[in-house]
Amino acid sequence: QVQLVESGGGLVQAGGSLRLSCAASRSIFSFVAMNWYRQAPGKQREWVAGITSGGRTNYADSVKGRFTISSDNAKNTVYLQMNSLKPEETAVYYCAASRIGAASYWGQGTQVTVSS
C-alpha cells in the first residue's frame, strides 16, 4: 500500500495564497500522474490539477492562471501553489496517485478555508 499525506491547508482571507504538499511513500515515477481534487460540503468532488510522470501539467478552467502544480521527485512530493484564493474554493483538498489497471491511491485530505 502507498501512503499519501497532504499538508499545508489552513485559513486564509480571500485573495491570499496557500501551498499544499502531497508526500508519497514511494517514487512518484511509479504513477501515471499525480492529481489534486477538492470537495466542498454538499458538492461533487472536483478535479483541480494534474501532473504526469513526464512533467506535463493541466488545470481546471476555474483555477488556470492562479494555481500551479509542480513536483520534486527527489522528495517524492507534489505541490499545489494556490494564489488569489476565493471563498467558494473552501474545500477539503485531496491528492491522488493514478495507476495503470488499478484504482488510484488517495490521501486523507487537507482543509482549506477561504474567508471573505
Side-chain angles (χ1 to χ4, degrees):
Q1 176 76 302
V2 172
Q3 308 297 320
L4 302 176
V5 180
E6 300 98 333
S7 61
L11 174 64
V12 297
Q13 293 185 338
S17 298
L18 284 174
R19 187 195 192 205
L20 306 183
S21 298
C22 172
S25 61
R26 70 157 78 154
S27 173
I28 59 177
F29 286 127
S30 301
F31 306 106
V32 175
M34 302 293 293
N35 291 277
W36 287 97
Y37 292 80
R38 63 190 178 192
Q39 187 168 27
K43 300 190 69 176
Q44 294 181 329
R45 184 179 296 111
E46 175 188 21
W47 174 79
V48 176
I51 184 167
T52 70
S53 60
R56 296 191 181 200
T57 61
N58 203 8
Y59 302 90
D61 287 343
S62 61
V63 307
K64 193 171 297 183
R66 297 185 297 115
F67 289 13
T68 303
I69 188 170
S70 61
S71 61
D72 185 337
N73 296 331
K75 295 182 178 180
N76 294 342
T77 300
V78 174
Y79 304 95
L80 185 67
Q81 177 67 46
M82 306 185 295
N83 298 328
S84 301
L85 282 161
K86 304 173 181 180
E88 59 264 35
E89 293 175 315
T90 293
V92 177
Y93 283 69
Y94 296 93
C95 178
S98 297
R99 301 185 289 163
I100 297 175
S104 297
Y105 292 109
W106 291 83
Q108 296 295 309
T110 185
Q111 176 71 48
V112 172
T113 302
V114 185
S115 63
S116 60

